[in-house]
């Protein structure tokens, strides 16, 4: 048989992140103990402290990491398009991919912010504001009626509405499906639908702004 390179094992810290996100999403941050997370990755609960200071630190790492990743990827996508319409397409696709492919993280992003320590919560809020402002700027460029001086609140409301729409995906889909051909088609269909709905929301907002 030909030699097939083994798939590199996920680093232990990333294993902990993945299992903590899965358990927190399934049962809530307060309903999960450190020992359970350790068991999920094959180490003792106290062994986790070699990687994280505690459960609070795991949640902060996940939520701050999500927000940093969204903002960094959003900036990359917004700056890489050929014009505002293409940049907005890229932003929508990136957020849809996040919602569909990282459903545990999107659940945490929506539900567990209040369980962060105050300093960490402020960091997440700052990153989230940066992400929203990025979208608002691109949307106003892509839809000229939203670029009018009085239309900024409409553009901002539309951005938040689109986030709510896309971020609801984990709840509407239910448990993660098996990764088979049927699931792949469902995923692609959902991505296309969410993309169209997002543009529909922005178009409706632009129409409302144009009517004054």
């Amino acid at each position: 048989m030909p030699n097939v390179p083994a798939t590199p094992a996920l680093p232990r810290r990333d294993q902990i992140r993945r299992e903590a996100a899965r358990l927190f999403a399934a049962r809530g941050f307060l309903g999960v103990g450190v020992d359970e997370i350790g068991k999920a990755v094959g180490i003792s609960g106290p062994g986790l402290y070699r990687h994280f200071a505690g459960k609070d630190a795991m949640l902060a790492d996940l939520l701050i990491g999500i927000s940093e990743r969204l903002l960094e990827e959003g900036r990359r996508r917004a700056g890489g398009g050929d014009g505002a319409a293409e940049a907005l397409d890229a932003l929508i696709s990136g957020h849809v991919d996040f919602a569909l492919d990282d459903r545990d993280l999107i659940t945490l992003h929506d539900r567990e912010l209040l369980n962060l320590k105050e300093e960490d919560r402020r960091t997440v809020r700052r990153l989230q504001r940066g992400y929203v402002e990025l979208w608002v700027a691109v949307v106003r460029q892509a839809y000229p009626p939203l670029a009018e001086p009085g239309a900024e609140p409409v553009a901002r409301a539309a951005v938040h509405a689109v986030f709510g729409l896309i971020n609801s995906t984990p709840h509407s889909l239910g448990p993660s499906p098996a990764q088979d051909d049927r699931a792949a088609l469902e995923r692609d269909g959902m991505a296309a639908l969410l993309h169209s709905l997002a543009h529909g929301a922005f178009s409706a907002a632009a129409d409302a702004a144009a009517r004054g």
Side-chain angles (χ1 to χ4, degrees):
M1 291 180 63
N3 291 327
V4 178
T7 302
L10 197 65
R12 181 67 80 186
R13 188 176 173 89
D14 289 336
Q15 291 177 22
I16 295 169
R17 285 190 180 107
R18 181 187 63 190
E19 293 304 318
R22 180 182 65 82
L23 290 167
F24 293 159
R27 302 217 314 274
F29 174 73
L30 298 178
V32 177
V34 171
D35 289 342
E36 294 174 83
I37 300 170
K39 182 178 180 181
V41 296
I43 60 178
S44 66
L48 290 176
Y49 294 111
R50 291 197 295 270
H51 304 278
F52 291 96
K55 198 172 72 164
D56 288 345
M58 292 179 210
L59 183 64
D61 178 88
L62 288 167
L63 290 180
I64 292 173
I66 294 165
S67 300
E68 287 175 338
R69 176 176 137 201
L70 282 172
L71 181 55
E72 180 179 350
E73 179 67 8
R75 286 171 173 164
R76 186 188 68 79
R77 286 173 176 267
D82 184 15
E86 189 171 317
L88 182 56
D89 268 340
L91 280 176
I92 293 170
S93 293
H95 200 95
V96 167
D97 286 345
F98 169 56
L100 293 177
D101 298 336
D102 293 291
R103 288 162 59 184
D104 290 340
L105 293 180
I106 203 78
T107 298
L108 294 185
H109 190 268
D110 287 346
R111 195 176 65 191
E112 300 292 351
L113 186 63
L114 290 178
N115 285 313
L116 285 179
K117 294 180 179 178
E118 180 60 31
E119 181 179 355
D120 294 327
R121 188 159 57 245
R122 284 198 299 268
T123 298
V124 170
R125 290 296 194 198
R126 174 178 54 78
L127 293 165
Q128 289 177 337
R129 284 195 299 271
Y131 188 57
V132 169
E133 294 306 318
L134 175 67
W135 273 69
V136 170
V138 174
V139 166
R140 298 187 76 192
Q141 293 171 28
Y143 287 90
L146 295 174
E148 294 299 319
E152 189 271 343
V154 179
R156 186 175 304 279
V159 167
H160 282 290
V162 167
F163 286 170
L165 169 72
I166 298 173
N167 290 354
S168 71
T169 302
H171 309 292
S172 61
L173 289 180
S176 297
Q179 296 300 308
D180 55 21
D181 290 341
R182 184 177 64 85
L185 289 173
E186 290 175 352
R187 191 261 184 224
D188 290 346
M190 179 61 81
L193 176 61
L194 289 170
H195 200 280
S196 295
L197 290 172
H199 272 299
F202 290 133
S203 180
D207 289 345
R211 291 195 300 269

